Amino acid sequence: TDSHARAKLQELCARLGVPAPGRMIYQPIGKPNEKKFFVEQPVIGLPYVARGMGETPGDCLNRAASHYAAILNTVFDKQSSRRTRG
């Protein structure tokens, strides 16, 4: 997992001119001895949800940030290619 994913997401949002996500709030799931952490974060202005799960809160937040960035990159790449084709 990219330990700098959250900072990179902030930079990506600024570069694309879109709002950065608010504070991501994780939930512990599972039994105490098998605990994992999970987060779901709606992507602002889009009909998608970024998700992350990990062994630690930081890991799940970084995974969600990476997923959020991947969604933005996919959407903006598609929009960009539509403009250049037409």
Side-chain angles (χ1 to χ4, degrees), residues 12-19 76:
L12 176 63
C13 289
R15 190 171 70 247
L16 295 175
V18 298
F76 279 84

Side-chain angles (χ1 to χ4, degrees), residues 25-80:
I25 301 174
Y26 60 85
Q27 299 293 320
I29 58 173
K31 298 175 185 175
N33 60 337
E34 301 171 358
K35 191 181 295 184
K36 300 227 187 254
F37 298 89
F38 179 74
V39 64
E40 285 188 319
Q41 180 72 33
V43 179
I44 298 170
L46 295 171
Y48 304 108
V49 176
R51 293 178 177 89
M53 184 183 295
E55 306 263 332
T56 66
D59 191 33
C60 89
L61 294 171
N62 284 326
R63 287 177 189 266
S66 292
H67 188 210
Y68 198 111
I71 292 168
L72 290 178
N73 282 321
T74 299
V75 168
F76 279 84
D77 283 348
K78 285 183 180 178
Q79 287 179 356
S80 171

